[in-house]
Amino acid sequence: MSIIAKIREQDGARVVTLPSELLESIGAGVGTALALKVKDGAIVAVPIPEPASQRRRRYTMAELLVGAEHLPEIYEGVAGALDGEPAGRELG
């Protein structure tokens, strides 16, 4: 696969946008760290696996709301905020 990307300047830095399909082909995505090196005049990018201990933990809504039942006692403006269905990407 050969993709042409143009180097541009953004806030004083040189930036190259890497297409999703190119990153996917090396198993990389948003947030993936890349080891960059020059080999035979070419830039080589290798994804660095993130150790399990450093991965961001996803929390369930119940975990996030532990103790939240006491919020209306502290601030009456949040009364009823815990009622209703999930509205985002939170886990069940």
Side-chain angles (χ1 to χ4, degrees), residues 61 80-88 90:
M61 186 55 77
L82 302 178
D83 302 335
E85 295 297 314
E90 56 271 2

Side-chain angles (χ1 to χ4, degrees), residues 17-87:
T17 300
L18 302 175
S20 296
E21 60 271 11
L22 180 67
L23 291 173
E24 289 168 3
S25 72
I26 64 168
V30 173
T32 301
L34 296 174
L36 302 174
K37 65 180 177 179
V38 176
K39 183 176 182 180
D40 299 325
I43 297 172
V44 178
V46 179
I48 301 172
E50 185 177 5
S53 62
Q54 291 184 350
R55 289 191 193 122
R56 287 181 56 182
R57 180 165 181 253
R58 302 256 345 244
Y59 295 90
T60 65
M61 186 55 77
E63 290 172 316
L64 292 171
L65 294 176
V66 168
E69 65 275 7
H70 301 292
L71 286 176
E73 299 165 17
I74 300 168
Y75 178 65
E76 63 186 49
V78 297
L82 302 178
D83 302 335
E85 295 297 314

